[in-house]
Amino acid sequence: ALPFDLPLPDYEPKWGWFTRANYARLHRETGIRFDVHLELRLAQLAKDRRWHELWYVRNPIPARKYLMISPGWNRAAIAEIKRLVPRYRDLPYVAYYTGTDEPMIFPASGPAEKSPFAKKLAATIAATQGWAPPSSRQGPTTDPIEGLRWVAFHRYTGARFMHLRRRQVALIRSLDPDAVVSPNDYAFIDGFIPWDYSQVADYSDI
């Protein structure tokens, strides 16, 4: 995967492998092309710049610890698109642009529960969906009212996620008219978030 400044762990091969020259050689010899991951740095980037705060303390995965529909995440996403797409759009070994693997959004957990943004989000969900969102402390339940709270939460957050993603993909295409975009990988290995995934067809090539 690209870009070349990915935060790779120590066990990944780097020296002599993760270079422009080697990727160009591999492409010439085999025809292989690679995806450009636009979001691996987003959680840390937004955190370092104080664009967002910890949202869901129970999950160790950065893309799930922070809220992917927050203004800070979106600001970081736009910044990375503007930084990376012009650098990689003309490289022959670029296959497509992609983003976070298995995106998920959870109710706020920890200090974020009392944050102004969490309160505003809860009020917006209640006003637009008819039910307040569930608490992050709510476990599995057969209570129909709690079920409706989860439906309300996922309807709103899913629609908001798709809306922001659609705008981000439009920005990618404005910077690279020939772009092939696979915005996210929805493998559902870690679970199925009940969003309306048919919306992805509106802005995704893969």
Side-chain angles (χ1 to χ4, degrees), residues 107-118:
S109 172
E113 292 182 68
K114 298 180 180 180
S115 69
F117 185 82

Side-chain angles (χ1 to χ4, degrees), residues 85-94 97 176:
V85 173
R87 296 185 183 186
Y88 289 87
R89 62 191 173 195
D90 295 323
L91 296 180
Y93 46 83
V94 168
Y97 301 98
D176 182 359

Side-chain angles (χ1 to χ4, degrees), residues 30-146:
T30 69
I32 190 173
R33 294 189 297 161
F34 305 86
D35 63 278
V36 180
H37 200 306
L38 299 172
E39 295 192 318
L40 276 181
R41 300 173 67 249
L42 289 197
Q44 190 64 44
L45 175 65
K47 176 185 176 184
D48 292 345
R49 297 183 181 180
R50 298 183 179 181
W51 289 349
H52 65 188
E53 298 178 354
L54 192 63
W55 179 258
Y56 187 73
V57 298
R58 300 182 183 184
N59 201 305
I61 300 174
R64 298 175 188 172
K65 288 174 67 173
Y66 295 92
L67 184 61
M68 298 181 70
I69 59 171
S70 72
W73 183 282
N74 187 54
R75 184 178 178 184
I78 290 172
E80 281 292 86
I81 289 169
K82 290 180 176 179
R83 182 180 77 90
L84 293 172
V85 173
R87 296 185 183 186
Y88 289 87
R89 62 191 173 195
D90 295 323
L91 296 180
Y93 46 83
V94 168
Y96 59 90
Y97 301 98
T98 192
T100 301
D101 179 48
E102 297 188 67
M104 296 183 179
I105 296 175
F106 302 95
S109 172
E113 292 182 68
K114 298 180 180 180
S115 69
F117 185 82
K119 293 178 180 178
K120 181 179 179 180
L121 179 63
T124 300
I125 292 173
T128 60
Q129 306 301 316
W131 294 93
S135 167
S136 62
R137 294 180 293 276
Q138 174 65 52
T141 179
T142 57
D143 185 323
I145 300 301
E146 285 302 316

